[in-house]
Amino acid sequence: MRSLRLGLPLASLLTGVALLFTASAAHAADTPLRDLAAAKGKVVGTAVTGSKLTGTYGDITGAQFSSLTPGNAMKWETVEPSRGTFNWTEADQIVAFAQAHHQQVRGHTLVWHSQNPSWLTNGSWTSAQLGSLLQNHISTEVGRYKGKITAWDVVNEPFNEDGSYRSSIWYNGLGSGYIASALTWAHAADPDAKLYINDYNVEGVNAKSDALYNLVKSLKAQGVPIDGVGLQAHLILGQVPSTLQQNIQRFADLGVDVAITELDVRMQLPADAAKLAQQKADFKSVVAACAAVTRCVNVTVWGFTDADSWVPSTFPGYGAATPYDENYQPKPAYYGIAEALGGSGSGGTTPPPSGACTAAYGVSSQWDTGFTGQVTISCSGASLSSWKVNWTFGAGQRITQAWNATCTQSGTAVSCANASYNGTVPDGGSVTFGFNGSWSGSNPVPTVTLG
């Protein structure tokens, strides 16, 4: 998906297209997600990148979410890149932002097979040395943020898909006891922090979640400090496990909290209206399952915007996995979350009266392989603070340039949102944006769709 802008004047021949009204991105719903969650006794969070916590990204993060998870800033390779030398810059930035916005912080992650520094993974350690290194790392990091971190993902992804223990520097060097040791050391460093084991593909009842269940049950029986389990929930469109709520409940019945820690729902690109509708249903289903279980305390999305998602680089051909698009506009998935938390799912402004604001699409000039078009948004009897228009090309046309709007095209689907300077359309006024496009064979009027 590409964002394109250029400035040119032009005239038009107009035909109707659908207009989707949106509130400003920082206030996408009448009630922010964090307030809807609080009313349900829940916390709603997002993973964040510290350097991006400014501008619109920072505004949305602060307004919508009550918990922050550092995406990478607290992982071992980031905070201890060389032995005994610590870099807390981004982690401190995220913690400070959270404190300023009255948010919890979820520490992620202390013990993992991945994203470890080369000095650690390439070293030759005795079991005693490895245990000492792990204890020192946990004690140092947890101790630094004592009283500032609500919960820690202490141990991350300890199991294979069949429920056996994953081969890692920790399991190979210390045996399965590394898990109990890590939890015990973390508790000693901050007795008030909630301590979790976190894994993926454990959302439904299966061999891997059974192994996690049996581990937690055993740890509880041994008196090891374990407060919760994290279900990552990196899901594929249309594949929310039917046993999700049942699985959440069985962990809760062990006497631990449950958190959905890394929720996203990826789809095969390009996105279209049907896929986005299914994604909304999937997000709503996951959040509703958590809301239905008292001890499911937190739902965290793994990045709230497609512009900051790990999915496209990890799963080629897939993306659009988060509740906001690349232009920080809420997608249907956002409203699915809001609805699951008891919100109306409506935008942050009252929609104008039917027909009060309209959009018209037109082609002003056309040549062998290209054309120039424009869209005019007009209001009479209402006004807008922001806008987005959507259409579907019927003959493979492609937008090559756009001006006075930010446009994205995925397959045949086009979505254009206001620029920073022309979101307001007063009663009796209008706003126009334009674009150049390419075509071959025919250039029919786009199919009218609602975004």
Side-chain angles (χ1 to χ4, degrees):
M1 300 175 72
R2 296 161 57 194
S3 298
L4 307 161
R5 290 186 186 178
L6 187 66
L8 287 174
L10 45 87
S12 70
L13 170 67
L14 299 176
T15 55
V17 297
L19 177 64
L20 174 67
F21 302 104
T22 64
S24 63
H27 304 284
D30 292 317
T31 305
L33 296 180
R34 61 185 292 171
D35 294 339
L36 292 173
K40 293 276 189 181
K42 310 296 182 183
V43 172
V44 62
T46 182
V48 294
T49 302
S51 61
K52 296 184 179 181
L53 287 171
T54 60
T56 302
Y57 183 99
D59 290 344
I60 296 173
T61 300
Q64 291 292 334
F65 300 101
S66 46
S67 175
L68 302 184
T69 300
N72 292 297
M74 291 185 176
K75 292 173 180 173
W76 198 318
E77 71 173 2
T78 302
V79 298
E80 196 178 359
S82 59
R83 187 177 180 181
T85 301
F86 291 86
N87 178 2
W88 307 108
T89 303
E90 187 187 2
D92 284 353
Q93 182 182 21
I94 293 170
V95 170
F97 183 96
Q99 291 177 327
H101 292 82
H102 307 289
Q103 296 165 311
Q104 297 180 5
V105 178
R106 183 176 191 87
H108 179 83
T109 179
L110 296 170
V111 190
W112 192 24
H113 67 273
S114 184
Q115 290 186 244
N116 291 312
S118 59
W119 69 263
L120 177 65
T121 56
N122 294 336
S124 296
W125 315 106
T126 66
S127 178
Q129 288 172 330
L130 193 61
S132 179
L133 288 169
L134 182 58
Q135 181 177 8
N136 179 69
H137 178 82
I138 291 173
S139 300
T140 300
E141 184 162 4
V142 177
R144 178 180 179 82
Y145 296 108
K146 182 180 180 180
K148 299 178 181 179
I149 303 290
T150 301
W152 279 100
D153 291 328
V154 178
V155 177
N156 200 45
E157 301 173 3
F159 291 109
N160 295 313
E161 296 305 298
D162 63 0
S164 60
Y165 282 103
R166 180 191 293 274
S167 176
S168 69
I169 184 175
W170 310 117
Y171 180 76
N172 297 342
L174 301 172
S176 62
Y178 83 89
I179 297 173
S181 295
L183 291 163
T184 300
W185 294 329
H187 180 72
D190 187 352
D192 294 327
K194 298 290 187 180
L195 306 181
Y196 280 69
I197 300 173
N198 189 54
D199 216 326
Y200 65 93
N201 288 350
V202 293
E203 295 75 35
V205 177
N206 56 37
K208 194 174 187 180
S209 65
D210 285 346
L212 179 59
Y213 177 89
N214 291 329
L215 171 62
V216 172
K217 185 176 181 179
S218 173
L219 292 170
K220 291 281 289 183
Q222 297 171 53
V224 176
I226 174 68
D227 300 296
V229 295
L231 315 180
Q232 291 185 14
H234 293 296
L235 302 175
I236 300 172
L237 189 71
Q239 297 185 24
V240 177
S242 60
T243 53
L244 174 60
Q245 185 175 326
Q246 172 191 343
N247 194 40
I248 293 172
Q249 186 65 60
R250 72 165 175 163
F251 279 106
D253 291 343
L254 287 178
V256 296
D257 292 336
V258 181
I260 307 296
T261 54
E262 304 181 24
L263 175 61
D264 51 30
V265 181
R266 64 185 181 270
M267 65 183 70
Q268 191 165 8
L269 299 174
D272 58 31
K275 292 176 184 177
L276 293 172
Q278 179 63 56
Q279 186 183 55
K280 175 183 178 180
D282 291 346
F283 270 89
K284 184 175 180 179
S285 176
V286 172
V287 177
C290 181
V293 179
T294 302
R295 294 202 69 155
C296 187
V297 296
N298 181 314
V299 176
T300 289
V301 294
W302 201 245
F304 65 83
T305 167
D306 292 343
D308 194 43
S309 173
W310 73 303
V311 168
S313 62
T314 307
F315 302 97
Y318 285 78
T322 76
Y324 283 76
D325 68 18
E326 293 179 343
N327 299 311
Y328 302 114
Q329 296 294 327
K331 293 156 56 179
Y334 169 91
Y335 300 107
I337 296 171
E339 290 169 12
L341 293 172
S344 66
S346 65
T349 58
T350 302
S354 178
C357 292
T358 59
Y361 174 106
V363 175
S364 59
S365 61
Q366 184 171 298
W367 53 99
D368 289 345
T369 59
F371 67 99
T372 298
Q374 74 173 30
V375 175
T376 298
I377 299 102
S378 305
C379 288
S380 178
S383 62
L384 296 174
S385 59
S386 62
W387 47 263
K388 182 188 288 187
V389 293
N390 301 271
W391 67 87
T392 300
F393 280 129
Q397 302 99 311
R398 299 289 306 180
I399 290 182
T400 56
Q401 294 179 298
W403 49 91
N404 299 328
T406 299
C407 292
T408 61
Q409 182 169 352
S410 181
T412 60
V414 177
S415 179
C416 296
N418 60 272
S420 60
Y421 51 82
N422 65 351
T424 299
V425 184
D427 186 2
S430 64
V431 168
T432 297
F433 70 90
F435 56 90
N436 288 332
S438 62
W439 67 283
S440 178
S442 64
N443 187 21
V445 172
T447 301
V448 176
T449 61
L450 287 174

